[in-house]
Amino acid sequence: MKLNIAVLPGDGIGPEVTAQAVKVLKAIAMEYNHVFTFNNALVGASAMDATGIPLPEETISICDKADAILFGAIGHPKYDDDPSATVRPEQGLLGLRKTFDLYTNIRPVIAYEDLLNKSSLKIKQIKGTNILIYRELASGIYFGEKNFSNDEASDVCAYKRTEIERIAHLAFKAAQGRKRKLTLVDKANVLASSRLWRTVVNEIASEYPDVTLDCMYIDNAAMELIINPCQFDVILTENMFGDILSEEASVIVGSIGLLASASIGNKHAMFEPIHGAYTKATNKGIANPIASILSAAMLLDHFGLYDEAALIREGVDKSLKLHITTPDLNTKYDNISTSKVGDFIEDFINNPDETNLNFTNIHLGQSTII
Ligand code: IPM
Ligand code: MG
């Protein structure tokens, strides 16, 4: 398959982690005879530094022509300190989501057996967690009318029926392929927009009689996600609640550096780790590249390259099992850098046969017998 991939490394640790995902995609292309081409473009604070704006026209054009967008991270503290600033790095990411109408954000939350003890939650509570969060990404409070003055400020949370319907159908279909349970998370006891979500999703539920629909208030869901995450299968929610719940869910998995995501529109698709730019860690080699690498796997799934995506996930599983991980997860080796994790998974893709693994050199990133 030929794929033209726009690569937007962005800010902070974005470039380091994205480089590992590209490395892994190149290894997949080699193994399976695909032709992947990569076109880099600027976004966020790095685009502001170079051009004055967070989402330059050239970036939009490169993304528009691409089959998929691989996104790194966005944000820089130097742009955070002025609350009255009208241009911010985050507008780069929000602009991409809006320009390409990437309305469905899918965030898998899986408790890996090998990492159960890394979570600050109790193992018996989180063991077996496997949730798919469907977060609406192109509307709601993020994109409603905004007003700001020194005395008053407001953000409008507006949803159209059609905006709810299109993601709800995708979430129901996803549930059909899983444990057939969908939980709508809202605040329908207070918010009018949530009441529309509940009305529309309840109506659509009749088209999916094999899926059980539950509705839960966001405050309750925030608690249930921590005390009993295994009760969830697919969670469907609006933009802001999805942002918060998915970041909370990273506690179950053990590190926010593990959570990948796909943002899907009707014509375009973008793949990005859910973590931010973590600028303090920039170029220290400590950023966990797994979320970016797993986002690359979601990219392959999106194009039906399931075996390829599965091989990446196997490589990730192996790296976790063998402690080839960055310091956020590692208590065994203290010298595994961002690029060593990428090298290991690249290496695994080239030689998936476990008998080739050289356990004595594994922590050096030299995992195969040459
Ligand atoms: C996310 C991030 C973004 C969001 C920020 C960087 C604008 O937190 O993708 O979860 O709030 O959506
Ligand atoms: Mg977030």
Side-chain angles (χ1 to χ4, degrees), residues 61-108:
S61 150
I62 288 175
C63 292
D64 196 19
K65 287 187 210 121
D67 298 300
I69 306 164
L70 188 64
F71 187 92
I74 209 154
H76 195 286
K78 73 178 171 192
Y79 294 110
D80 283 346
D81 292 340
D82 176 9
S84 63
T86 50
V87 183
R88 297 175 177 280
E90 288 74 10
Q91 287 164 347
L93 179 56
L94 301 181
L96 284 166
R97 291 173 181 172
K98 199 67 184 170
T99 306
F100 298 117
D101 201 16
L102 305 173
Y103 59 87
T104 297
N105 182 229
I106 306 167
R107 299 187 161 185

Side-chain angles (χ1 to χ4, degrees), residues 107 135 142 243-244 246-247 274:
R107 299 187 161 185
R135 167 188 176 193
Y142 274 62
D243 178 43
I244 298 167
S246 57
E247 185 129 346
I274 85 154

Side-chain angles (χ1 to χ4, degrees), residues 5-10 18-19 22 37-42 62-63 68-72:
I5 301 169
V7 182
L8 276 53
T18 310
V22 170
T37 46
F38 301 91
N39 289 305
N40 275 53
L42 289 171
I62 288 175
C63 292
I69 306 164
L70 188 64
F71 187 92

Side-chain angles (χ1 to χ4, degrees), residues 58-305:
E58 194 191 345
T59 300
I60 296 180
S61 150
I62 288 175
C63 292
D64 196 19
K65 287 187 210 121
D67 298 300
I69 306 164
L70 188 64
F71 187 92
I74 209 154
H76 195 286
K78 73 178 171 192
Y79 294 110
D80 283 346
D81 292 340
D82 176 9
S84 63
T86 50
V87 183
R88 297 175 177 280
E90 288 74 10
Q91 287 164 347
L93 179 56
L94 301 181
L96 284 166
R97 291 173 181 172
K98 199 67 184 170
T99 306
F100 298 117
D101 201 16
L102 305 173
Y103 59 87
T104 297
N105 182 229
I106 306 167
R107 299 187 161 185
V109 180
I110 297 163
Y112 292 91
E113 279 290 317
D114 293 302
L115 296 180
L116 289 175
N117 61 351
K118 303 289 181 221
S119 172
S120 34
L121 303 173
K122 292 197 182 86
I123 292 180
K124 67 174 186 332
Q125 269 162 298
I126 58 173
K127 197 174 160 57
T129 300
N130 188 332
I131 307 172
L132 216 45
I133 299 179
Y134 270 62
R135 167 188 176 193
E136 201 290 329
L137 201 64
S139 189
I141 200 164
Y142 274 62
F143 296 101
E145 194 190 320
K146 293 181 188 303
N147 286 302
F148 179 84
S149 79
N150 267 342
D151 303 315
E152 206 178 318
S154 62
D155 301 271
V156 173
C157 181
Y159 269 105
K160 292 193 174 69
R161 164 177 280 272
T162 49
E163 289 171 335
I164 299 168
E165 281 170 351
R166 59 187 185 171
I167 185 173
H169 280 292
L170 296 181
F172 273 108
K173 287 190 179 115
Q176 280 182 320
R178 295 170 48 99
K179 289 188 232 142
R180 297 196 292 279
K181 184 171 173 196
L182 182 67
T183 307
L184 171 67
V185 173
D186 64 24
K187 188 74 185 171
N189 50 347
V190 177
L191 302 178
S193 53
S194 283
R195 286 197 279 277
L196 183 62
W197 270 85
R198 228 176 239 224
T199 309
V200 173
V201 172
N202 270 305
E203 277 170 28
I204 290 177
S206 62
E207 294 175 45
Y208 302 90
D210 53 334
V211 176
T212 308
L213 172 66
D214 268 355
C215 298
M216 204 181 265
Y217 296 139
I218 175 65
D219 44 353
N220 185 25
M223 183 185 72
E224 291 291 334
L225 187 62
I226 293 298
I227 60 175
N228 182 13
C230 293
Q231 71 183 286
F232 296 107
D233 180 20
V234 178
I235 291 178
L236 168 64
T237 192
E238 59 91 71
N239 204 341
M240 179 72 136
F241 297 157
D243 178 43
I244 298 167
L245 271 193
S246 57
E247 185 129 346
E248 184 191 354
S250 70
V251 179
I252 301 167
V253 183
S255 168
I256 194 164
L258 292 167
L259 292 198
S261 86
S263 305
I264 314 285
N266 289 337
K267 291 209 193 86
H268 296 84
M270 182 161 86
F271 301 85
E272 53 165 314
I274 85 154
H275 61 69
Y278 189 22
T279 39
K280 276 190 283 191
T282 309
N283 292 329
K284 291 195 177 147
I286 58 171
N288 191 336
I290 300 283
S292 186
I293 291 170
L294 289 175
S295 300
M298 293 185 86
L299 183 157
L300 297 175
D301 273 336
H302 182 71
F303 293 98
L305 302 177

